[in-house]
Amino acid sequence: MPNPNNPKQLMRLRRAMEYSRYKLQPFRERHKEAVEQSVGVYYSDSGAKKPVHVNLMELAANIYERQLVSKPPQVNVFSRRDGVSTAAERLESVVNDQLRRYDVHKELRRAVRSALFSIGIIKVGGYEIDKNTPFVSHILLDDWVHDMTARVMEECSFQGHRYLMDLDDAKSNKEFKRNIRSKLKAGDLSNYNEGGDERISSLTSDGTMLQERYIDKVELWEVWIPKSKLLVTLGPNEGDPPLRVVEWEGPEEGPFYTLGFGDVPGNLMPLPPAALLMDLHEMANK
């Protein structure tokens, strides 16, 4: 069984993540190019390079989004047994209240829009590092990695994402190994991924001036290993052991769910609508 507490296996995991991040770079770049066209030239200093007179990209994205995720999700709970209808109604009310409370609709909308440009990714669970409540969270492709040697998502030997955490919270988190968390340091702000491609956040942060954070942050990775049913939290220092390794307590398929609109046989990444619209969009604007 894969064991990230073993230094050799941890190094193999990090090398596999590095390779998969490299293979995902073209998809990140195409995603950003499509978003640049959708926001046009007047959104910021880092949007489209030329005026977008006929914005077919944003028009299509809005139409798809309204059709696919126009309303907050709701559940209907019923039972075939007599005498439990009242309990079913109460459960339905509680579940729908939870869906509203954790703003599931907002995260689903973000995931659907991302899927129109590349792939939509959602993380769900019963707790996060710094929370003890259920959560649903959209993950950007910029911050995502999955096993790019697999042919379908079900074959992936790992999936994971990068996220920011307050440095003070990370250093004081008792779920993290003390000797590892004590060495954490605030990370530098960057508009670039490790492969040199620009992050999508560069649309509003061009990096030409020194960027300052009010609160120090550190970038961590949380990786799901399906075969051993483990969640692994990794710090930014490659040579360090994991900050924590815990058994996953949740659905069999793990904490991550992906959405794609066009399957490509024998390939893991989907074919997004934006890839099919780009030529028409550019021709209309010429």
Side-chain angles (χ1 to χ4, degrees), residues 160-260:
H161 75 110
R162 173 176 58 194
Y163 65 100
L164 287 172
M165 189 174 186
D166 290 356
L167 180 61
D168 289 342
D169 291 344
K171 284 194 166 188
S172 62
N173 194 306
K174 294 182 179 179
E175 293 188 10
F176 292 164
K177 296 176 183 176
R178 179 178 296 181
N179 61 324
I180 307 301
R181 58 183 161 97
S182 64
K183 295 188 292 183
L184 292 174
K185 296 180 180 179
D188 296 328
L189 289 172
S190 176
N191 284 328
Y192 296 89
N193 289 303
E194 61 274 31
D197 55 303
E198 282 190 309
R199 298 188 185 187
I200 202 166
S201 58
S202 65
L203 289 175
T204 51
S205 176
D206 62 13
T208 57
M209 298 180 64
L210 182 65
Q211 301 179 58
E212 291 288 345
R213 279 198 177 115
Y214 176 50
I215 297 176
D216 287 334
K217 303 277 187 178
V218 61
E219 279 190 347
L220 306 177
W221 281 90
E222 186 158 279
V223 183
W224 155 244
I225 303 178
K227 189 169 184 178
S228 50
K229 299 293 187 293
L230 294 176
L231 274 179
V232 184
T233 305
L234 302 173
N237 300 322
E238 188 171 295
D240 287 346
L243 279 161
R244 71 165 195 165
V245 178
V246 296
E247 293 185 5
W248 166 247
E249 297 179 1
E252 185 73 17
E253 58 269 25
F256 300 113
Y257 297 85
T258 58
L259 173 65

Side-chain angles (χ1 to χ4, degrees), residues 7-111:
K8 290 184 178 180
Q9 291 197 25
L10 177 61
M11 185 57 65
R12 289 191 64 179
L13 174 61
R14 286 190 180 273
R15 292 285 79 80
M17 290 172 61
E18 182 180 353
Y19 169 79
S20 292
R21 286 283 293 171
Y22 167 74
K23 296 297 287 184
L24 282 166
Q25 181 173 334
F27 298 96
R28 296 195 299 266
E29 292 174 343
R30 298 293 89 76
H31 184 130
K32 183 174 182 294
E33 289 171 7
V35 172
E36 286 174 350
Q37 290 300 307
S38 74
V39 300
V41 73
Y42 300 111
Y43 173 68
S44 71
D45 291 338
S46 303
K49 304 301 185 292
K50 299 178 181 179
V52 179
H53 305 291
V54 185
N55 199 330
L56 299 182
M57 196 65 67
E58 181 62 17
L59 176 63
N62 282 333
I63 291 172
Y64 274 109
E65 186 179 318
R66 286 197 298 269
Q67 293 295 320
L68 294 169
V69 63
S70 61
K71 297 179 181 180
Q74 298 281 293
V75 301
N76 292 318
V77 180
F78 62 92
S79 174
R80 295 186 176 88
R81 293 176 57 189
D82 296 333
V84 296
S85 59
T86 301
E89 290 174 1
R90 289 177 179 174
L91 178 59
E92 177 180 310
S93 177
V94 169
V95 172
N96 287 330
D97 180 66
Q98 295 291 308
L99 290 172
R100 287 189 296 270
R101 179 179 300 181
Y102 299 115
D103 214 351
V104 174
H105 184 225
K106 178 180 70 176
E107 300 302 320
L108 292 179
R109 284 181 59 196
R110 290 173 173 171

Side-chain angles (χ1 to χ4, degrees), residues 141-152:
L141 183 59
D142 266 345
D143 299 322
W144 173 253
V145 67
H146 59 240
D147 182 6
M148 285 293 285
T149 64
R151 295 167 297 181
V152 292

